[in-house]
Amino acid sequence: MSGSIDLIYDKTLKVISDLLHVKNAAILSVGESELTIERLLSKGKVSNEGQSIYNEKLYGEVSSITEPTLKPSNVFRDTRLINIVPGTDYYVFPCLDSHSKVIALIILPVLKLEDFSIENYSLVHVVGQRLSVELEKSRVIKERESLSEFNASVLESLDEVTWDYSVAKKRILWFGAVYKVFGYQKEEMGNSPNFFLDRIHPSDRVSLEDRLMMNKQPNEKFTIDFQFKNTNEGYYWLRIEGVLHATADGIAERVIGVVKNVHNEKMAELLRIRAMIKAKDSERKRIASEIHDSLGQTLSVARLELDTLLELNKGADFEDRVKSVSDLVAGAIQESRTISHDLMPPALVDYGLIPALETMISQVDRSSDVKFIFFHNDIDERFEEEFETNIYRICQEGINNILKHAQAKTATIQVIRHPDYVYISIEDDGVGFKKISDIKGGAGLGLKNMANRVAYLGGKIDFESNKGSIITIEISI
């Protein structure tokens, strides 16, 4: 910007020198509280000065000039002007901005006042007006650049990226702390959305791409949390917020918004969920163990004692009463075993996820009016204990929800092993969910527990309701 202003000053003095045949002249810039000699024309040669000549009296004299005027030489006493641009008087032309404020002065020496004629300086008015316009334009541009630099520094300090996606051009622009947020330089991100979309986790890409590329709801704000792959080949959590702007005819034009790094926030929430689920599962194990090892054994001993009593007394009435109590104890033993197995299924511990699910689903299929179908793609591997336990509980919660609320005739549970993730679907032909938005907001304890366990495993869960319900889950492994 300073280069363009320098050029304006140089051209102004050159025009004055060539057309007025003036050998000596000067241009002063007028700041808020300073006067600076920007250019000097001495003996036909232009020199770049940049020297301040401020004093309070001089500033007061010249900063209030709004019309071309003559000033006696003593006004510029003790300045370089007297020596380099000598004159008995000086013709001063003020360059004004759009607010009629003096921003520069063109100063021409008058050697003999009796020879002075205003007509001789008419061209100065044209040149001075042009200088005023150019300086005002430069000032505006400089202010805009300063504002842009300020905005950029603010965005950098906020660790956010603003973005602007053109629907017609399929071009996206990034502004702000691009490297801090994405881990890539702005030049690497480019203007095509493909670089950005290709680094989004597959389980998040569809929903984000739908809102970014195919959004048809003008002025409706959206917020999506997604996982983004950084340069270290790891994923971390970002949050994108945006809104679609359309033309007056309703044609999608631009989608704009911000991207923030919410990884720490997500990790803190995940740690909270993990602590809660670990505590719950630990308590399940403890209770199951207590029921199996303590209560179960006590009941078994009690039944043996009752059987011993039968040997001591052969009375029919006594035998009937003892047998009745023994049957009650036998029922309590069976119930304690059932509760213990529900809390911590032996098949899950001994044989793994798929056999445990087959056992559970087979049992509910026999004991309920709902026809349950289980499908998996021949998974025979064992996973980590936490993974198996949480997948089992997720399916268990889904099945319980079908039995309690769905009013379904058939239900299908699928567990599909892909190379990089496990896909789970729980589907029924019942009445469906009342409001998907309520479910996603956490309504329903069972569904909320499912969502928490999916979050614990770093996965994604979706709910759909249309002539029944379907819950789909994707968990990376």
Side-chain angles (χ1 to χ4, degrees):
M1 178 53 61
S2 60
S4 62
I5 294 176
D6 288 342
L7 190 61
I8 292 168
Y9 288 140
D10 289 341
K11 283 185 175 180
T12 300
L13 280 186
K14 191 173 188 312
V15 169
I16 291 174
S17 175
D18 291 346
L19 298 183
L20 293 181
H21 306 291
V22 174
K23 297 298 183 181
N24 301 306
I27 298 178
L28 274 60
S29 63
V30 182
E32 288 296 329
S33 60
E34 65 178 358
L35 293 172
T36 303
I37 302 175
E38 297 291 350
R39 290 294 184 281
L40 284 175
L41 177 64
S42 177
K43 298 179 181 179
K45 292 183 179 180
V46 177
S47 61
N48 186 341
E49 291 290 311
Q51 180 185 19
S52 174
I53 57 170
Y54 175 79
N55 65 61
E56 189 173 348
K57 183 178 179 181
L58 176 61
Y59 185 82
E61 282 271 2
V62 300
S63 63
S64 59
I65 298 174
T66 57
E67 298 287 343
T69 184
L70 278 172
K71 287 289 183 180
S73 59
N74 59 11
V75 169
F76 299 100
R77 185 183 304 146
D78 300 326
T79 70
R80 291 192 68 201
L81 287 175
I82 295 295
N83 299 324
I84 298 176
V85 188
T88 57
D89 296 273
Y90 293 94
Y91 182 74
V92 180
F93 182 89
C95 298
L96 308 178
D97 64 12
S98 55
H99 303 290
S100 299
K101 183 179 179 181
V102 182
I103 54 177
L105 299 167
I106 298 175
I107 299 175
L108 301 172
V110 177
L111 300 178
K112 295 181 180 180
L113 190 57
E114 59 269 20
D115 295 335
F116 175 76
S117 172
I118 191 65
E119 287 78 13
N120 295 337
Y121 293 91
S122 59
L123 185 62
V124 178
H125 292 226
V126 177
V127 176
Q129 291 291 351
R130 181 63 182 171
L131 178 59
S132 299
V133 171
E134 293 294 336
L135 290 177
E136 174 76 349
K137 188 189 300 183
S138 297
R139 182 183 64 81
V140 171
I141 293 173
K142 187 176 181 180
E143 288 177 354
R144 286 177 180 172
E145 288 178 347
S146 298
L147 182 59
S148 296
E149 290 175 2
F150 173 76
N151 290 338
S153 64
V154 169
L155 288 174
E156 288 284 346
S157 66
L158 291 176
D159 290 346
E160 293 182 0
V161 171
T162 60
W163 54 273
D164 185 341
Y165 176 68
S166 171
V167 177
K169 297 179 180 178
K170 293 182 171 53
R171 182 183 69 183
I172 193 164
L173 302 177
W174 307 102
F175 309 95
V178 175
Y179 185 78
K180 288 183 181 179
V181 173
F182 294 118
Y184 299 95
Q185 297 295 343
K186 185 176 180 179
E187 294 75 18
E188 294 179 274
M189 296 291 292
N191 297 135
S192 169
N194 293 335
F195 184 93
F196 170 66
L197 293 172
D198 288 345
R199 282 153 183 79
I200 294 172
H201 194 281
S203 63
D204 299 322
R205 175 165 176 166
V206 174
S207 58
L208 192 147
E209 193 169 10
D210 178 66
R211 295 310 299 266
L212 181 65
M213 317 288 284
M214 295 174 281
N215 188 17
K216 303 297 182 184
Q217 302 174 40
N219 302 320
E220 181 180 292
K221 294 181 180 179
F222 64 87
T223 300
I224 300 174
D225 291 346
F226 64 98
Q227 297 173 81
F228 187 83
K229 183 185 289 187
N230 64 15
T231 52
N232 296 323
E233 299 301 319
Y235 285 96
Y236 61 103
W237 284 96
L238 300 178
R239 176 173 297 152
I240 190 167
E241 300 173 357
V243 62
L244 170 70
H245 292 275
T247 64
D249 299 328
I251 300 173
E253 187 175 29
R254 299 166 66 202
V255 191
I256 62 175
V258 298
V259 179
K260 306 174 184 178
N261 188 322
V262 292
H263 190 72
N264 291 339
E265 176 186 330
K266 281 286 188 179
M267 289 299 99
E269 176 66 12
L270 183 58
L271 288 174
R272 185 190 68 79
I273 292 173
R274 284 180 174 174
M276 178 183 68
I277 290 176
K278 276 190 174 181
K280 185 182 294 185
D281 287 343
S282 295
E283 187 65 7
R284 282 176 181 268
K285 285 183 179 180
R286 186 189 67 79
I287 295 172
S289 177
E290 289 290 332
I291 291 174
H292 182 271
D293 297 338
S294 180
L295 178 61
Q297 289 182 9
T298 301
L299 290 171
S300 296
V301 171
R303 191 180 184 196
L304 288 173
E305 290 293 329
L306 288 171
D307 291 342
T308 302
L309 286 176
L310 288 177
E311 299 298 325
L312 298 176
N313 193 329
K314 297 295 184 179
D317 184 61
F318 181 76
E319 286 183 12
D320 289 343
R321 288 180 177 274
V322 170
K323 187 176 185 308
S324 176
V325 174
S326 179
D327 288 344
L328 289 173
V329 173
I333 292 172
Q334 182 58 43
E335 188 173 350
S336 70
R337 285 175 179 169
T338 301
I339 294 172
S340 177
H341 290 177
D342 284 344
L343 288 171
M344 187 49 61
L348 183 63
V349 177
D350 296 336
Y351 304 110
L353 176 63
I354 298 303
L357 287 175
E358 287 176 330
T359 301
M360 175 178 63
I361 293 169
S362 177
Q363 288 174 348
V364 294
D365 181 55
R366 289 195 303 269
S367 61
S368 72
D369 296 330
V370 183
K371 177 61 179 176
F372 279 90
I373 301 168
F374 178 51
F375 176 79
H376 64 90
N377 58 340
D378 298 324
I379 303 172
D380 56 6
E381 65 183 295
R382 290 298 303 264
F383 300 96
E384 292 183 0
E385 181 183 350
E386 283 189 344
F387 185 89
E388 291 189 337
T389 300
N390 281 285
I391 296 298
Y392 182 88
R393 295 300 179 200
I394 288 167
C395 293
Q396 188 179 49
E397 290 281 10
I399 290 169
N400 289 338
N401 190 69
I402 291 171
L403 294 174
K404 291 179 181 178
H405 308 294
Q407 302 175 33
K409 293 181 179 180
T410 61
T412 303
I413 291 88
Q414 296 186 74
V415 178
I416 309 298
R417 172 71 155 95
H418 291 275
D420 298 324
Y421 66 95
V422 170
Y423 171 85
I424 302 160
S425 70
I426 304 170
E427 186 174 0
D428 67 74
D429 59 0
V431 296
F433 301 119
K434 290 182 179 180
K435 286 180 68 177
I436 297 295
S437 59
D438 287 345
I439 293 166
K440 289 184 177 180
L445 182 59
L447 297 175
K448 187 174 182 180
N449 286 338
M450 291 177 69
N452 282 341
R453 288 187 181 276
V454 172
Y456 176 91
L457 297 174
K460 181 182 178 183
I461 185 168
D462 280 319
F463 303 92
E464 297 178 28
S465 184
N466 183 17
K467 295 181 180 180
S469 63
I470 179 169
I471 301 171
T472 57
I473 298 161
E474 290 183 11
I475 301 172
S476 298
I477 52 176

